[in-house]
Amino acid sequence: MTQRLHLVFGGELVTPEKNVFRDVNDIHIVGMFPDYASAYAAWKAEAHRTVDNAHMRYYIAHIHRLRDEAASGSTTEELGA
């Protein structure tokens, strides 16, 4: 069974109109979650906590969608083999 990991992260954007972080070294990693429901709850808590700052945004990344076990590995994976 494939594990469906979700990463919740966020930070301050340069402008609210674009998804460009002001400082990537200052991105807040909320955590990794085993299902969408728990990731959504964490995202919602952080989004509500920072609602007064229009430049703050939090996102849910579907980590499980980044890797297809059936597909061949990338060249960077081959270097570590």
Side-chain angles (χ1 to χ4, degrees):
M1 180 175 166
T2 302
Q3 192 171 32
R4 298 192 176 267
L5 296 175
H6 299 80
L7 172 65
V8 178
F9 66 99
E12 190 171 5
L13 303 178
V14 173
T15 177
E17 291 83 24
K18 295 185 179 181
N19 293 328
V20 178
F21 289 104
R22 183 176 305 279
D23 182 2
V24 295
N25 294 314
D26 198 29
I27 290 176
H28 176 209
I29 305 295
V30 178
M32 188 74 69
F33 299 89
D35 54 65
Y36 183 79
S38 57
Y40 180 82
W43 167 84
K44 188 174 182 180
E46 291 301 323
H48 282 138
R49 185 180 65 77
T50 59
V51 73
D52 291 335
N53 183 346
H55 286 82
M56 289 296 288
R57 291 289 186 282
Y58 280 86
Y59 303 92
I60 299 174
H62 299 266
I63 300 302
H64 60 276
R65 292 182 182 168
L66 298 177
R67 180 156 178 92
D68 179 1
E69 294 295 334
S72 62
S74 70
T75 56
T76 55
E77 288 177 329
E78 293 170 7
L79 293 174

